Amino acid sequence: QWIETNQEEAEESLVDEHKTTPYHVLFSAAEPSGEVLEVLVDNFPYHILGWKDANGKLAMEYLMNNWTPENKTLLQRALQYWMLDPLVRWVATSLMESMQNKVQATLGEDDKERRSTLFHEAHSAFAKYETVAAASILEMALWKGKIEYGSSNNGVQRQTVDREGCRCVCGSIVVIPQVIQFLGFAGSDPTRHY
């Protein structure tokens, strides 16, 4: 309860009454600053770039509406930070090339409507991957916990551990759908085995 309350308070402190994040403010400016973007990138978690304001818009949508060479560079940096850097951290090389292509297609598009469509396609693909990554990380943690529990010293001797057996009985088939549903990932299916 304490962690949940503190997390909610921390997230509420990042937005105003219009659900506007610092990124929304920056990208809504007539001439957004690359230096300010770097300060925000250094001080705020990447996932707040995925938050919508009271108008239902992501911060980068404001930046794309004022399409200049400078804003294109800012969008490239923001997309790198938001969508590509996490894939590198997660060692998601299989998806990295696909996402890079989506980002480059978005940046290379001069037509406003088509650019918006490409951006939303990239956002949707990234959101789907985040769901899969969250489920995979949770499964690995449950599996590791089961292995460590099974191989712990019980005072007499170390128990033999069947790694694959631990994976099958780690509880992921029950836990993961409930956690994914609780986290509110869009499009999550609580009956699907992750």
Side-chain angles (χ1 to χ4, degrees):
Q1 181 68 18
W2 179 82
I3 293 172
E4 184 178 310
T5 302
N6 283 339
Q7 179 69 22
E8 289 173 11
E9 288 174 6
E11 289 189 359
E12 285 177 12
S13 73
L14 297 176
V15 297
D16 64 13
E17 66 274 8
H18 304 290
K19 297 184 178 181
T20 304
T21 69
Y23 289 106
H24 285 91
V25 173
L26 172 64
F27 293 157
S28 297
E31 294 183 22
S33 164
E35 292 80 19
V36 173
L37 176 60
E38 292 306 317
V39 169
L40 295 178
V41 163
D42 290 342
N43 291 287
F44 293 102
Y46 79 89
H47 69 269
I48 71 169
L49 278 163
W51 293 357
K52 293 183 178 182
D53 64 11
N55 294 322
K57 289 189 169 190
L58 298 166
M60 285 177 267
E61 291 180 84
Y62 292 102
L63 189 62
M64 290 189 302
N65 284 335
N66 183 18
W67 200 239
T68 66
E70 295 80 15
N71 287 357
K72 179 178 178 178
T73 301
L74 289 177
L75 182 64
Q76 181 176 14
R77 177 64 183 115
L79 291 173
Q80 177 73 38
Y81 176 65
W82 184 32
M83 294 182 181
L84 300 177
D85 289 353
L87 297 176
V88 171
R89 286 191 300 275
W90 301 334
V91 193
T93 52
S94 61
L95 186 65
M96 185 65 170
E97 185 177 331
S98 171
M99 286 304 297
Q100 284 176 328
N101 290 339
K102 290 179 185 304
V103 166
Q104 288 307 315
T106 301
L107 295 170
E109 184 57 57
D110 289 327
D111 179 70
K112 182 179 173 180
E113 296 301 319
R114 181 72 181 132
R115 182 173 54 247
S116 177
T117 299
L118 291 168
F119 169 75
H120 287 289
E121 287 173 2
H123 174 239
S124 178
F126 181 71
K128 181 178 178 184
Y129 187 76
E130 275 187 313
T131 302
V132 171
S136 298
I137 291 167
L138 180 55
E139 182 177 20
M140 286 188 291
L142 291 166
W143 187 15
K144 181 180 177 187
K146 191 66 169 179
I147 289 171
E148 288 175 352
Y149 176 77
S151 64
S152 66
N153 191 338
N154 64 7
V156 178
Q157 65 183 27
R158 292 187 79 75
Q159 300 170 355
T160 304
V161 176
D162 173 18
R163 292 175 60 87
E164 188 59 31
C166 286
R167 182 172 183 259
C168 293
V169 297
C170 71
S172 63
I173 198 164
V174 174
V175 173
I176 291 173
Q178 299 306 315
V179 170
I180 296 297
Q181 184 179 16
F182 173 75
L183 293 175
F185 285 112
S188 63
D189 179 357
T191 61
R192 180 176 170 230
H193 175 65
Y194 289 89

